[in-house]
C-alpha cells in the first residue's frame, strides 16, 4: 500500500488545479452570498505566523460557508500607506546595520537586493510579490482578480480614497483644527498606533498648571486635580533635576528643562534665560495662586522632571504620595538638614482637609495609607491608594467651606468650571504630556505637539458616536465578550489626525500637500474589492472613477445615463459595478487580532456608520489573540519571529493551519511551538494512511449489508460530530470545531474498527466521506488529495457540507456502546490497582429489580415527577420492591441523584 506522503507535492498540485478551474473566483449570482475579509497586511516585511493564524480562521469560515452552498468572496490586498516603509528605506540608505541585519537574517532578503530597498516603493513591491506566493501556498481561498495595493501608486485606489474623504468631509466628520497629538520629533510627523515600537494606545493627557508666584516669576505645578489647590501645604522640587528660567508667552516661568522643550511644541513661545540646579529652589518659598499663602519648597527626588513641568504642589490630606513623602522626610530628616531647612517647621505642616467624601473622615489620604499599610512612597501599594482616593473623591467628593465660591459643590460637576475660571483669572495654564513613553518606529521618543490647521477625523462627534454604537448593536461580535471593549473604545475615542506630510499615501483631495495616513485609508476599502475586478481587467480606467461615478456605484446616487454621457463609460458597465457592490456588500465577517480592536476595527465601524446606509453596515466582527512563539510574545528585534515562508518550507500549509487553529480561539493568545507542529505532521501523515487503509478495507470487503448495533453507533456518533463542528464554526470557535472534526471523529473510527469483527463497507465509506468534508475547511490540501483517492471527483472545496440528520441518530446504540466503553474503562482502572496481573475477570450485572427501579425513575422524571419524595412514593408501590424495601430506598435515592441532572434524552 502507498504510505509515503509528499506534502509539498500535494499542495502544489491542488493550488494549480484550483487556479486552473478558478474555483475561488466569485461573481454575483442567484445564491445567497458571504463576504469575508482579513485586514490587508502591511508590506514592510514578510508575512509571519500571526498573519497565518487570523487569516486561517477567516479562510476556514469562508470554506465552511462555501460548502454550505453560499457564494463566498474572500479577496486580498496589500497596505503600503504610512511612514514605516519610507522610514525603513531611509534607515537602509543611512547604512543602519541593525535593520540591514534583520532584513537579511530574519526576512531572508538576498543581500544584493538590499541596496534597491532604499526606494520604498521597490521594497513594498518586493514584499507584495513575495507574500502573494505565501498566501497562495497557505491554501487561502482567494479571488485574486480583486487584488490591489494602497497609496498614490495605485491610481484607482487613490480615487476611492478621494471619494471616501470628500464624503466624510461633506458630512462634517473631517475638520481642520488645533489638537494635541503624539509627535515624533525626528520624523516630524504624527505617530499613530501603527507607527509605534512602544506605547500603543497612549494618548496625550491634559495637565492643569497651577501658577505659584515666585519673586517676579511663576512656578507652574502640574496637576490633574486643580480643585486641590485649596489644600496645598508645601511644594515639591527635585534637587537633582535641571530647571530653567524662561520667558513663556511674555511671562517668566521656572520649569524643568524637558518641560521647556515640550511646551515649545505646544503653541507657546519659549525663550530660556538661564539653566540651574533644582537645589537652588529648595528651602525657599512661593505663594499659591488662589489664597496667596506662603508655601515652603521641599526636596523631592521622586518628582520626575520629564513628567509635566517637573514641579508638584503637595496636598497631604487628599494625595497619598504627598502624605507619604512628608512623613518620610520627618522620619528621616537628612535631606532637610542638608538643605538647611528647619525640621521643626516641617513637622508643623498639617494636612488641610478640603473634600468631604462618604466613608472617610478628615484626611482620606492618610486613612487609606493606613488601611492598605503602605510603608513609604516607594511601596507599590502607594499607587493603589492614590487610585482609590482619586476615584472616590472625583465621583463622590464635595468641596468643603474652605474652597471659596466652590464650597458645597460636587467635584465631578464643577471640575471643568474650576479649570475655566482658574485659566481666566490667570491662576492656571494648560500643558499636554504622555502618561507613558511612546517610541516611534524610527526609535525616537515621542512628545506631544499641539498642531494647528491639521486635518482631523472628528471621532468625538456625538452624532457619529451614536451611529457607531448603533452599528455595533446590530452586528455580531465574536467572541461576544469583545463587545464591551468596542463599546468602551467608541465612548472614549477622541479626534484623530488623518493626514501627514511624509511617507506613502493618497493626497488629500482638497489639500494635496497632505497624505491620508495609514489608519485612515484602511477603514472602508473592502467596498473597493467589489469593483477592483473591473479595474484589473482594464474595463474601467482610474480616471473614470470620479466622485460622481463612485457615488453612483457605492450609494446609488445620480443618474447612470448622465454619468455615462459625461464619462464615456457604458451604462451596462456602470450598472454592473453598482450591482456588484450591492450584491457583495455589506461585509459579513471581518476578523483581526485584538491589538487592532482599539484602532483599526473601531475606525472600520465609525467609517462604515458614517458613509453607508444601515443595510450596508458590517454584519459580524471577529477578534482573536496575539500569536506567541514558544511561549514568548513575537518580537522581530529579539529574533522571536517565524516568517510564514519558512514555516511553509518546513511544515507545509495544512500542518501550519491545523497547529495554529488548535492552539487557541476566542480572546486567548495562540502559542506556536515547533514540537506541536512536529506532532501535527505525524498526526496528519497517519490520518492520511488511516483513511486510505479504511477505504481499501471498505471497498475490498463489502459483503455485510445489514446495519448492526455498532454500525448504528458509528453513524449516530458522526451525526453528533456534524452538529458540533457546524455549531462551533458558526461562532468562529475554530479550535473546538477542529478538535471535534479531527480527533473525535478519528477516535470514533478507531473504536469502530476495534469493536467489529467484520466491518460494514457501506458504513465506513459513508463515515470517510463525511469525515473528509468536515476536515476540508481546516486542512484543504490533504482533504482534496484523499477526496480524489477515495473515489470522488474534485473538488472537496466545492463539495456539500454534511448536514445533520435526525433520522440517523440511534440513541439506543449510542447508550449501549457508552455502557461498554465505561465498563471497559472501569476494568482498566481496577486493573491498575493490582500489583500482579489478574488472571480472571468477573463482571457482575445488577439483578432485574434494580434495573426496574432505575428505568421507572427515569420514566417518572421524564413525565414531570421531579421531587424526590414523590419519586420514592411512586416507586415503593411497585410490586418488585416487596420484601427488599430497605435496599430499594437506598437505590432509589442513589439513582435519583444520578438521573435528575441528565437531560431527557440522556435518561
Ligand atoms: Zn520617528
Amino acid at each position: 500500500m502507498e504510505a509515503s506522503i509528499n506534502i509539498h507535492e500535494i499542495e502544489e498540485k491542488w493550488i494549480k488545479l484550483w487556479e486552473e478551474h478558478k474555483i475561488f473566483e466569485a461573481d454575483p449570482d442567484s445564491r445567497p452570498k458571504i463576504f469575508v475579509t482579513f485586514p490587508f497586511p502591511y508590506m514592510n516585511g514578510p508575512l509571519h505566523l500571526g498573519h497565518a493564524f487570523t487569516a486561517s480562521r477567516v479562510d476556514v469560515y469562508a470554506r465552511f460557508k462555501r460548502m454550505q452552498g453560499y457564494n463566498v468572496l474572500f479577496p486580498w490586498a496589500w497596505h503600503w500607506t504610512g511612514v514605516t516603509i519610507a522610514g525603513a528605506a531611509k534607515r537602509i540608505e543611512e547604512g543602519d546595520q541593525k535593520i540591514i541585519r534583520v532584513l537579511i537574517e530574519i526576512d531572508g532578503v538576498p543581500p544584493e537586493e538590499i541596496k534597491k530597498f532604499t526606494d520604498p516603493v521597490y521594497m513594498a513591491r518586493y514584499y507584495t510579490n513575495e507574500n502573494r506566493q505565501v498566501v497562495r501556498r497557505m491554501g487561502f481561498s482567494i479571488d485574486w482578480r480583486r487584488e490591489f495595493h494602497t497609496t498614490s501608486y495605485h491610481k484607482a485606489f487613490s480615487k476611492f480614497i478621494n471619494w471616501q474623504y470628500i464624503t466624510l468631509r461633506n458630512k462634517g466628520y473631517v475638520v481642520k483644527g488645533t489638537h494635541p497629538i503624539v509627535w515624533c520629533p525626528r520624523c516630524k510627523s504624527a505617530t499613530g498606533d501603527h507607527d509605534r515600537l512602544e506605547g500603543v494606545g497612549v494618548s496625550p493627557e491634559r495637565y492643569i498648571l497651577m501658577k505659584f508666584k515666585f519673586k517676579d516669576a511663576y512656578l507652574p505645578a502640574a496637576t490633574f486635580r486643580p480643585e486641590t489647590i485649596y489644600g496645598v501645604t508645601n511644594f515639591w522640587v527635585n534637587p537633582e533635576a535641571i530647571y530653567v528660567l524662561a520667558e513663556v508667552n511674555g511671562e517668566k516661568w521656572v520649569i524643568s528643562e524637558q518641560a521647556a522643550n515640550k511646551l515649545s511644541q505646544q503653541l507657546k513661545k519659549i525663550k530660556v534665560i538661564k539653566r540651574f540646579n533644582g537645589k537652588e529652589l529648595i528651602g525657599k518659598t512661593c505663594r499659591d495662586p488662589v489664597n496667596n499663602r506662603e508655601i515652603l519648597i521641599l526636596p523631592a527626588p521622586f518628582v520626575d522632571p520629564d513628567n509635566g513641568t517637573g514641579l508638584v504642589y503637595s496636598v497631604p490630606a487628599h494625595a497619598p504620595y504627598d502624605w507619604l513623602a512628608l512623613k518620610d522626610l520627618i522620619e528621616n530628616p537628612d535631606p532637610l538638614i542638608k538643605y538647611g531647612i528647619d525640621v521643626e517647621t516641617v513637622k508643623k505642616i498639617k494636612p488641610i482637609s478640603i473634600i468631604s467624601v462618604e466613608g472617610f473622615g478628615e484626611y482620606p489620604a492618610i486613612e487609606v495609607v493606613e488601611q492598605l499599610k503602605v510603608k513609604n512612597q516607594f511601596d507599590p501599594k502607594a499607587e493603589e491608594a492614590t487610585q482609590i482616593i482619586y476615584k472616590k473623591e472625583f465621583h463622590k467628593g464635595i468641596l468643603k467651606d474652605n474652597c471659596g465660591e466652590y464650597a458645597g459643590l460636587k467635584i465631578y460637576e464643577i471640575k471643568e468650571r474650576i479649570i475655566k475660571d482658574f485659566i481666566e483669572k490667570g491662576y492656571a495654564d494648560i500643558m499636554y504630556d504622555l502618561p507613558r513613553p511612546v517610541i516611534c518606529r524610527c526609535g525616537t521618543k515621542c512628545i506631544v505637539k499641539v498642531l494647528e490647521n491639521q486635518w482631523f477625523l472628528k471621532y468625538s462627534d456625538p452624532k457619529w458616536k451614536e451611529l457607531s454604537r448603533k452599528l455595533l448593536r446590530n452586528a455580531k461580535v465574536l467572541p461576544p465578550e469583545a463587545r464591551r471593549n468596542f463599546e468602551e473604545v467608541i465612548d472614549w475615542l477622541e479626534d484623530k489626525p488623518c493626514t501627514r506630510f511624509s511617507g506613502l499615501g493618497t493626497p488629500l483631495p482638497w489639500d494635496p500637500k497632505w497624505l491620508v495616513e495609514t489608519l485612515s485609508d484602511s477603514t472602508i476599502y473592502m467596498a473597493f474589492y467589489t469593483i477592483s475586478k473591473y479595474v484589473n481587467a482594464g474595463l474601467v480606467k482610474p480616471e473614470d472613477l470620479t466622485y460622481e461615478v463612485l457615488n453612483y456605484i457605492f450609494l446609488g446616487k445620480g443618474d447612470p445615463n448622465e454619468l455615462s454621457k459625461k464619462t464615456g463609460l457604458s451604462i451596462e458597465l456602470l450598472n454592473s459595478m453598482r450591482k456588484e457592490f450591492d450584491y457583495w456588500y455589506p461585509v459579513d465577517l471581518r476578523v483581526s487580532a485584538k491589538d487592532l480592536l482599539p484602532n483599526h476595527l473601531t475606525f472600520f465601524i465609525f467609517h462604515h456608520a458614517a458613509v453607508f446606509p444601515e443595510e450596508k453596515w458590517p454584519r459580524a466582527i471577529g477578534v482573536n489573540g496575539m500569536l506567541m512563539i514558544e511561549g514568548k510574545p513575537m518580537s522581530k528585534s529579539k529574533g522571536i519571529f517565524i516568517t510564514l515562508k519558512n514555516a511553509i518550507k518546513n511544515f507545509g500549509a495544512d500542518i501550519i493551519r491545523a497547529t495554529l487553529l488548535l492552539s487557541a480561539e476566542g480572546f486567548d493568545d495562540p502559542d506556536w511551538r515547533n514540537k506541536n507542529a512536529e506532532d501535527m505532521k505525524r498526526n496528519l501523515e497517519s490520518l492520511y494512511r488511516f483513511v486510505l487503509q479504511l477505504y481499501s478495507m471498505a471497498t475490498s470487503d463489502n459483503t455485510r449489508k445489514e446495519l448492526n448495533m455498532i454500525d448504528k453507533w458509528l453513524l449516530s456518533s458522526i451525526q453528533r460530530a456534524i452538529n458540533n463542528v457546524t455549531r462551533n464554526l458558526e461562532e468562529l470557535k475554530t479550535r473546538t470545531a477542529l478538535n471535534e472534526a479531527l480527533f473525535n471523529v478519528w477516535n470514533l473510527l478507531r473504536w469502530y474498527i476495534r469493536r467489529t469483527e467484520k466491518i460494514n463497507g457501506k458504513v465506513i465509506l459513508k463515515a470517510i466521506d463525511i469525515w473528509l468534508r468536515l476536515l476540508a475547511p481546516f486542512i484543504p490540501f490533504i482533504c482534496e488529495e484523499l477526496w480524489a483517492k477515495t473515489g470522488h471527483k474534485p473538488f472537496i472545496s466545492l463539495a456539500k457540507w454534511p448536514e445533520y440528520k435526525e433520522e440517523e441518530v440511534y440513541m439506543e446504540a449510542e447508550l449501549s456502546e457508552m455502557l461498554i466503553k465505561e465498563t471497559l474503562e472501569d476494568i482498566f482502572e481496577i486493573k491498575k490497582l493490582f500489583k500482579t496481573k489478574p488472571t480472571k475477570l468477573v463482571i457482575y450485572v445488577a439483578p432485574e429489580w434494580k434495573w426496574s427501579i432505575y428505568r421507572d425513575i427515569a420514566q417518572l422524571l421524564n413525565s414531570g415527577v421531579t421531587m424526590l419524595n414523590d419519586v420514592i412514593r411512586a416507586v415503593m408501590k411497585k410490586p418488585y420492591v416487596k420484601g427488599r424495601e430497605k435496599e430499594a430506598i437506598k437505590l432509589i435515592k442513589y439513582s435519583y441523584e444520578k438521573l435528575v441532572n441528565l437531560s431527557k434524552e440522556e435518561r
Side-chain angles (χ1 to χ4, degrees), residues 44-46 100-115 117 122-123 126-127 130 645:
N44 65 329
I100 292 172
R101 217 191 59 225
V102 167
L103 286 173
I104 294 173
E105 287 173 12
I106 294 181
D107 292 6
V109 178
E112 66 274 16
E113 287 281 333
I114 295 288
K115 58 181 179 298
F117 275 35
Y122 183 88
M123 190 194 307
Y126 176 92
Y127 284 124
E130 178 182 287
K645 73 178 165 190

Side-chain angles (χ1 to χ4, degrees), residues 451 453-455 499-501 506-508 511-516:
L451 270 193
N453 299 325
Q454 158 77 293
W455 293 102
T499 56
R500 50 164 72 230
F501 276 126
T506 294
L508 198 63
D511 192 358
K513 66 174 181 290
W514 294 99
L515 299 174
V516 178

